[in-house]
Amino acid sequence: MQELIIIIITAALLSNVVLSQFLGICSFLGVSTKTDVALGMGGAVVFVITVASAVAFGLYQILELLKLQYLDTIVFILVIACLVQIVESFFKKYVPALYRALGVYLPLITTNCAVLGVALTNVQNNYNFWQSVACGFGTAMGYLIAIVILAGIRERNAANDVPAPFKGSPIVMITACLMAIAFFGFANLSI
Amino acid sequence: MKMNKHLDAIYNGIVRENPTFVLMLGMCPTLAVSTTAINGAGMGISTTVVLILSNMLIAALRKIIPDGVRMPAYIVVVATFVTLVDFIMEAYTGALYDALGIYIPLIVVNCIILGRAEAYASKNTVSMSACDGLGMGIGFTVALVVIGLIREFLGAGTVFGIQVYEASSVFEPIAIITRAPGAFLVLAMLAALQNKFKMKSATNGLNGTEEKGCASDCESCGGGCQ
């Protein structure tokens, strides 16, 4: 149990998926204009990544049995695409408001490299089932934390007087840069 | 005339529609592996190979793949070539393979590749698509090498791994530039310079697209954005 908690904290804070591994930058910069939308996006990513790591673990066992490990990238990406489709249909039916707010970014979770990244990391680290799920959940929580913080900062930033050349994406990247420096602080956590 | 058309497709990818500086596509690998110029070049070249091959195969199959399942079909094509490149790199370029790590299989989800498949290869001939892939690939490689050079020079005082200046009282290498925050910082500065000099970029609306705030990565990302 303790080991699983360590995996979750490491994945969420110490090697934050967005700020230190640069996975999922697309949606991190794109859906972070409002905190509630960012929260919805983060929630969807938590669900997709957690389920994807569990499913990917099972699939890899089958691939290993058949000695087809080299097909992992192809198999994982197809499974992720299907999962995202399921989440999309679910949101469309039950949470239509959030579905509209997330718009194009929902199908884009497929190309969110964080999802495939976690699945491949789990395989590389030889994690067992629960370790894989913990790593997936932790990584996704890291994404959620980062995107909600960025959205909060951007909401305040909107009223600030930003120098003209920095308007738009440059100031968002500067913000991300400062957040990345702040997250360095977690490196000193001794666990 | 025919030759010119092909050269034009290559030129387009390198300059007019440079995937990194103008279209702002594929930011994840750009930020992650541009720590040194050599890593950037390795990533750029492997992406170029995948891009050319997948563009060619998708262009060849463009009349056969049904419209409804084109995305999964493209993903399978791209993933196949990425797996091949992954093996080749593991066998012949050990150190680079270790340095790029997980970012090699992640070429699958690089926006540039699916974006070009959707926006170009699905509508054009095999030879034109190959040229487009080559141009885009070179454009991406050049961008990664440039960013890598800046980060390497400022952060470690090296150029292509060769020490060009030592830490002194005048100027000391800024180590953080080679770490994660530096990637965001260098890219932010480059984008700001682009805005300042009103150069075409997806982020300042000068190429006719609205600002999307996501650096427009999704624009032709292949995720059904349009």
Side-chain angles (χ1 to χ4, degrees):
Chain A
M1 194 60 210
Q2 196 190 1
E3 193 200 349
L4 295 184
I5 293 170
I6 289 175
I7 289 180
I8 293 178
I9 294 177
T10 310
L13 299 177
L14 265 63
S15 60
N16 186 281
V17 64
V18 187
L19 296 170
S20 76
Q21 298 184 58
F22 303 113
L23 301 177
I25 298 284
C26 236
S27 55
F28 175 67
L29 300 177
V31 202
S32 56
T33 39
K34 288 205 184 73
T35 24
D36 48 346
V37 179
L39 206 59
M41 182 69 186
V45 169
V46 171
F47 177 79
V48 173
I49 293 190
T50 313
V51 177
S53 4
V55 174
F57 176 82
L59 278 172
Y60 194 75
Q61 302 309 307
I62 299 173
L63 288 180
E64 221 164 23
L65 217 65
L66 301 171
K67 305 239 181 305
L68 290 173
Q69 291 97 321
Y70 57 88
L71 286 179
D72 56 356
T73 315
I74 304 177
V75 171
F76 288 172
I77 189 75
L78 284 177
V79 171
I80 291 164
C82 296
L83 268 177
V84 172
Q85 200 66 52
I86 294 169
V87 175
E88 197 186 343
S89 316
F90 178 83
F91 273 22
K92 200 172 180 176
K93 186 145 173 34
Y94 296 103
V95 215
L98 190 60
Y99 176 77
R100 277 195 301 276
L102 292 176
V104 299
Y105 291 100
L106 200 50
L108 279 182
I109 298 180
T110 309
T111 46
N112 186 329
C113 20
V115 188
L116 185 60
V118 175
L120 292 170
T121 315
N122 287 341
V123 168
Q124 271 174 12
N125 292 351
N126 279 324
Y127 280 160
N128 66 29
F129 180 77
W130 288 111
Q131 284 169 328
S132 301
V133 174
C135 179
F137 179 74
T139 307
M141 285 311 285
Y143 177 88
L144 178 73
I145 294 168
I147 196 171
V148 171
I149 295 178
L150 182 68
I153 299 175
R154 281 181 73 174
E155 276 181 357
R156 287 177 165 242
N157 236 343
N160 288 356
D161 188 17
V162 177
F166 280 91
K167 279 194 176 123
S169 68
I171 191 68
V172 182
M173 279 191 269
I174 298 270
T175 313
C177 163
L178 296 176
M179 281 172 65
I181 294 175
F183 268 71
F184 270 171
F186 289 115
N188 288 335
L189 273 182
S190 52
I191 48 174
Chain B
M1 192 62 211
K2 195 164 178 285
M3 199 56 223
N4 284 346
K5 207 171 65 178
H6 289 90
L7 281 178
D8 191 61
I10 297 177
Y11 174 76
N12 185 50
I14 304 174
V15 181
R16 259 199 316 274
E17 289 188 17
N18 185 294
T20 308
F21 293 133
V22 182
L23 299 179
M24 297 286 247
L25 292 173
M27 296 320 271
C28 301
T30 308
L31 290 163
V33 303
S34 62
T35 44
T36 67
I38 291 173
N39 283 355
M43 187 66 192
I45 292 166
S46 41
T47 308
T48 307
V49 172
V50 176
L51 195 52
I52 296 173
L53 293 174
S54 65
N55 256 7
M56 284 171 71
L57 188 60
I58 287 165
L61 296 174
R62 70 186 187 280
K63 296 208 174 83
I64 303 169
I65 299 175
D67 213 37
V69 293
R70 64 181 198 288
M71 276 307 152
Y74 295 166
I75 290 178
V76 173
V77 169
V78 176
T80 311
F81 286 124
V82 170
T83 308
L84 287 178
V85 168
D86 188 84
F87 283 155
I88 295 170
M89 290 187 71
E90 190 173 6
Y92 295 107
T93 57
L96 188 65
Y97 182 82
D98 291 336
L100 297 181
I102 196 167
Y103 295 99
I104 297 171
L106 285 180
I107 296 175
V108 179
V109 282
N110 189 323
C111 299
I112 300 172
I113 296 177
L114 272 183
R116 292 324 284 177
E118 171 75 1
Y120 199 93
S122 60
K123 301 183 191 86
N124 289 283
T125 59
V126 175
S127 62
M128 285 300 288
S129 301
C131 290
D132 178 71
L134 181 64
M136 282 287 160
I138 295 175
F140 183 61
T141 312
V142 168
L144 282 183
V145 171
V146 168
I147 298 172
L149 274 178
I150 297 175
R151 290 181 66 187
E152 199 182 331
F153 183 77
L154 292 177
T158 58
V159 169
F160 289 105
I162 302 157
Q163 198 79 33
V164 288
Y165 66 89
E166 299 286 334
S168 65
S169 55
V170 187
F171 188 80
E172 214 175 298
I174 314 158
I176 205 162
I177 298 276
T178 56
R179 317 251 331 245
F184 287 112
L185 190 68
V186 170
L187 218 64
M189 291 304 171
L190 288 175
L193 279 177
Q194 243 175 338
N195 286 347
K196 177 79 184 163
F197 296 108
K198 300 263 183 301
M199 291 198 289
K200 275 185 172 183
S201 152
T203 47
N204 57 20
L206 289 180
N207 70 349
T209 51
E210 267 174 64
E211 186 187 322
K212 289 204 173 65
C214 61
S216 291
D217 310 40
C218 59
E219 214 185 347
S220 47
C221 204
C225 191
Q226 298 292 328

